[in-house]
Amino acid sequence: MNPSIPPSTAEYGGDEVSAIVLDPGYSTTRAGFAGEDTPKSLIPTYYGKYTYDSQEKLIFGDDVFVTPRPGLSVHNPMGRDGIVEDWDMAEKVWEYSFTSRLAGPRPGNPLQNGLNDTPDNELPTEMEGLETEEKPLADSPLLMSEPGWNPTKAREKTIEIAMEKWGTPAFYLARNGVLAAFAAGKASALVIDIGASNISITPVHDGMILKRGVQHSPLGGEYISSQLRALFKTNAPQPITITPHYLISSKIAVDAGQPPQAKYKTFSPEKAPHASYRTLLEERTLCEFKECVVQVWPGPNKLSGTGPNGVLNEDLAKTSPGRPFEFPDGYNQVFGVDRYRVVESLFDAKAAIPDPESIFPPATQAQTVPELIKNALNGVDVDVRPHLLANVVVTGASSLLYGFTDRLNQELMQMYPGPRVRISAPGNTAERKFGSWIGGSILASLGTFHQLWISRKEFEEHGPNIVEKRCK
Amino acid sequence: MAAADVRDMLDLPAEGQPRPLKKQKVTEKRPEGITRELFALLGERAPPIAINENRYKGRPKWMSKMRVRPWRMAPFENGARSDGLVLRHWQRQNEPAKPALEGSEMEVDDKTDGKNASETVEKDYMFAKYNIKARVPNRYTDEEYNRHLKNDDWTRQETDYLMDLVEEYDLRWVVIADRYDYQPHPVDAETNTTALVPAKRYRTMEQLKARYYFIAASMLALEHPPSEMSEAEFELHEKMMKFDPERERSRKELAALQLNRTADEVREESILLEELKRITANEQEFITERRELYSRLEVPISVGNTTMYQSSQGLSQLLQTLLQADKSKKRRSILGPESAGAAPSPAGQTPASNAPGSARDSRADTPNASAPAAAVTAAAAPTNKKATAAAAAAAAAAATKEAEKTVKTLTPAEEAKYGVQHHERLAPGVQFRSDRAQKLTQAKSNVQTQKLAAALAELAVPLRLVMPTERVCKEFEKLIHSVNLLLDARKVAEKVESEIRVLEAAKEERERKTKESQQEKTSTTSTSTSKPEVKSEQQDEEDGPPLIPADAAAEAATAPDPKGPATAAQAEGEPAAEVKGTSGVPAGSTEGPDGASHKRSASVLSNASDKSNKRQRK
């Protein structure tokens, strides 16, 4: 095999039918054409809502971050467990994700836009054709992803939306664990997905999830943010308050650890946006902090334990140079061992920073990644366990935390010293962030996949329950 | 080495033939972008700078002359689907497009597009052939189920459910066991709501497999009775019938144990494996070494020396024999006797000829043996070969003489000078002279060793030699030997001394007794008084220690004895017995009324004396 020669069509088995792949998540919604390597459309799942001229207006996409409109409140149609809570809004957000960039805006209803004013008696015949035309996905098959623990009702609702509201000719609902495994080029894998609201472990065998092994817990990116907030409250020189950029009008550089000197913007109560808007923007700052500063203790052993040569890991962590971070208001500080502490509870529940005000209940040991993996493996047949351990796929944007895969590797080696453990974690951030979307893009552009679509005809014949039978 | 030899080795033609001509000069190609005149100015040695600009290659010219083959969005239907879903993908249009007016064509296309699409939907989809389902057994009928497949543990509904699942998941048991979730018929639940709801039970993969294999095998057997099955079918049938869920379960338990080992266990295993690998590698090495050794021992040793081949005649002869051997390609033993006699070559002296003698022997006697052999061959050879053979024989004889000359015997003085030593037998491996000397100081018994050490200490000779040179060692050996002799002598002397003492004591006793008896006789005593005395003595002895070792008895005898005359008599018997043991003289000298007790003690003591005898012999 010469890698420089592209495979012939028959070899890679691709056959693109201009399908759209939609991978909705808690934090972002990804959409794009199947066969491409990254999603063309990446929007936050959060949407904004405000009233203007006594009319309720909605903001989708990145625009939600931009303007602090008076009374702007931010919502998320997804629940923290990855299941849709607000179906109407979810439909709108998802529709925005592909109409804004991919399918293009459709012309208005030809019946209402005044161009097709026809005599009444001709209407019924023309309506049939027109009705399908106006739907946003009339000529693109749609592949959507869902978490492994999605309940039947939610799945049925999804296909109803796709078929009836968007008018897609063919639909398929795939588990995001399976798709992430496909993105890594594996049909059988243990997928560890560290997302924004959830971490989940999905054992995949021959392209199908093993339901009894699927595990998830809420220790995702948002939980880490809550740990960061708890850390900032008890910060050493002074507690840190996060002031998002939109509240700063100007700032002056200060020394590390000195109180910030910034001019703040103030909004009068009737002009101020809702508190959820501030939370959303604070989250963005925290996200930056996570990217720049936060680090996972790479092991061996826990942060609270001792290293192989008897030195306390905490002491070892203290000797490593700290990382500076400057907040939007100009306050800056070097973070030492604390930057390890905030994520340690992903592996060791006892290391969690207590915060009674947090919306997250304190983490339990059963929610940590190693325990989840152990439970997931105990839920599957013993014969496939070694194979799964040899094909661990790490995906999800929060898994990009510095040192995460090293630690995961250490933990797995400690838990299972016998079998070979191999972690497949792409170094490319896009591949890690959009793992399940890329898998969907691969799947939906395969020639052999096209027999699996649920066609409109089948949907009409069997009803929404067909999704349970076909998307196994 | 001459060039001719190299040529010969490499099978190249002899010199003289013209060599393949090398290209002397490659005319440099004029790079693009430089005019011919300018390039000519550069001369022959152009500077090593590439003067060509990077630019987009574009399509080759011949391509632009070709007509663009259009692609079109073509609808297609997947043969693997039953619902006739029509999807669209890009396809290269292969029929030549009609060269027609653009505008009108477009319109026509638009109009007919819908019709065309429905007409030209591809029917044979390339990927439909990959739609393969696993072969599952035929479904049973009600009658078949009731007759052959009934099972107390499985209802018909659950069996159906299992078979559906198996078909749906193409026999992927991992997935089937994962998804298996059979809900008993809801009617049942309604009818006996009062009854306990049966606890939801999980079927293990082994149970599912066992049931499925049983059904599959039964259905196979129903289809063809086992006698009519093809071999593959029969094998499958056998395999499915022999499925043992219990064994499978225990295997999985073991697999789980293996998976959940601790790090220490894993480390230990890896160490053991490493050890095993090392051992097998060593063994392999050992075997190969031994084989090599054997092959070296068995290889025919070249007998004659090469002097005979130094003459041109000898060489040509060798060449001839080799050629002959090459031609026949047979072993010498198979060949006729005349060729065997004719060749005084090393190949002639196969090990078969001197098989009984060991390799060393053959080597030892080669110089002598080869000459007569050559002489014999010379005599036996036909006349035309006579001259050459004789020459070879003469050469060989000269060689042996030379060899004898070179072996020079050393005088003892020279040997000492050069440090040449002769050993009788050498154990393999390295050994130290000091060790050997050390070994001498270790006697068999601990007591002896201590005595030896004491003697050496008395002589102020250190146990461990300070300078164990050859001569010192020899002296030391002598010394140890004489010390041993001394110790032995002392031991014997002591023994003899003690014996003498005992005998003297016995003698005194006897004299005293005889005196007493004489006195008694004179003082008119009867024998009746002595008899009960003897009896009591016997009892005494039985009460006392039953078995007395010889030494202890001897000691008892030598020690001042407060006991009566009986013990003294006993003691008298002992040395007698010992004397019997050592000298072979029967111990019958004792007399008197206590003969019975004497016999017993004598027998006991003779055993002991046998032992001592053995010790002495040692």
Side-chain angles (χ1 to χ4, degrees), chain B residues 111-425:
Chain B
K111 274 179 192 170
T112 56
D113 205 11
K115 271 189 259 167
N116 266 347
S118 56
E119 276 169 14
T120 59
V121 165
E122 289 172 69
K123 287 290 179 191
D124 46 341
Y125 184 51
M126 189 172 61
F127 295 102
K129 65 184 174 193
Y130 297 113
N131 182 30
I132 295 164
K133 293 295 278 182
R135 224 185 100 224
V136 288
N138 301 339
R139 269 308 164 87
Y140 36 81
T141 60
D142 288 348
E143 193 200 346
E144 280 168 344
Y145 184 85
N146 290 333
R147 228 199 289 161
H148 302 285
L149 305 174
K150 269 205 165 168
N151 189 319
D152 293 337
D153 197 26
W154 290 78
T155 60
R156 171 72 195 264
Q157 282 80 20
E158 197 173 359
T159 311
D160 287 349
Y161 177 75
L162 171 68
M163 298 307 278
D164 287 343
L165 219 57
V166 165
E167 201 172 339
E168 192 179 341
Y169 290 113
D170 289 330
L171 287 166
R172 285 185 187 95
W173 285 108
V174 177
V175 182
I176 291 167
D178 182 66
R179 303 291 167 90
Y180 193 87
D181 183 23
Y182 176 68
Q183 258 94 26
H185 216 266
V187 180
D188 282 63
E190 276 172 34
T191 48
N192 46 1
T193 38
T194 50
L196 279 171
V197 178
K200 189 165 178 184
R201 52 180 189 170
Y202 279 105
R203 295 262 187 207
T204 63
M205 192 196 284
E206 289 74 48
Q207 285 171 323
L208 300 179
K209 273 184 178 173
R211 178 67 176 158
Y212 171 78
Y213 288 144
F214 173 72
I215 288 169
S218 307
M219 291 312 291
L220 199 65
L222 282 178
E223 205 175 325
H224 310 283
S227 53
E228 291 170 24
M229 279 184 192
S230 71
E231 201 171 315
E233 272 177 336
F234 186 72
E235 237 169 62
L236 185 67
H237 181 258
E238 280 297 293
K239 222 181 253 175
M240 289 199 289
M241 287 308 270
K242 275 180 188 157
F243 180 77
D244 181 1
E246 198 48 41
R247 205 175 136 199
E248 186 73 1
R249 197 187 55 74
S250 56
R251 181 187 72 78
K252 283 200 174 161
E253 271 174 14
L254 283 179
L257 274 183
Q258 152 90 3
L259 193 76
N260 294 327
R261 284 173 307 167
T262 62
D264 286 338
E265 286 165 336
V266 171
R267 209 172 304 131
E268 193 182 326
E269 192 196 280
S270 69
I271 287 169
L272 284 178
L273 279 178
E274 196 61 32
E275 190 77 359
L276 180 71
K277 211 197 249 172
R278 201 179 55 78
I279 287 170
T280 48
N282 272 358
E283 200 183 346
Q284 206 62 38
E285 205 173 296
F286 178 70
I287 286 172
T288 50
E289 266 177 14
R290 189 153 63 169
R291 186 168 299 149
E292 203 177 294
L293 186 66
Y294 274 133
S295 65
R296 203 168 282 179
L297 284 175
E298 277 164 12
V299 94
I301 289 117
S302 68
V303 269
N305 41 28
T306 50
T307 40
M308 69 164 101
Y309 302 122
Q310 277 167 5
S311 66
S312 62
Q313 268 182 332
L315 256 181
S316 65
Q317 198 184 351
L318 177 68
L319 192 67
Q320 256 180 354
T321 51
L322 283 179
L323 273 178
Q324 236 170 5
D326 219 28
K327 238 184 254 170
S328 55
K329 296 249 173 186
K330 276 179 187 171
R331 290 221 147 199
R332 185 187 172 276
S333 54
I334 309 164
L335 282 180
E338 75 274 344
S339 67
S345 67
Q349 301 253 342
T350 53
S353 62
N354 50 11
S358 73
R360 199 187 292 180
D361 286 351
S362 70
R363 187 182 286 165
D365 59 21
T366 38
N368 304 330
S370 63
V376 168
T377 49
T383 46
N384 59 344
K385 285 183 183 170
K386 207 171 192 172
T388 57
T400 50
K401 265 179 205 165
E402 268 176 20
E404 270 165 10
K405 261 181 211 165
T406 53
V407 175
K408 187 181 170 189
T409 50
L410 292 171
T411 61
E414 276 173 328
E415 274 184 8
K417 189 177 166 193
Y418 298 133
V420 175
Q421 289 168 26
H422 300 280
H423 298 272
E424 281 182 342
R425 201 169 45 181

Side-chain angles (χ1 to χ4, degrees), chain A residues 106 130-139 162-168 456:
Chain A
R106 290 276 154 179
L130 285 173
E131 210 170 25
T132 53
E133 276 306 301
E134 70 174 314
K135 297 204 168 156
L137 278 180
D139 47 20
M163 286 289 178
E164 288 167 3
K165 302 273 175 63
W166 299 338
T168 179
R456 164 168 289 279

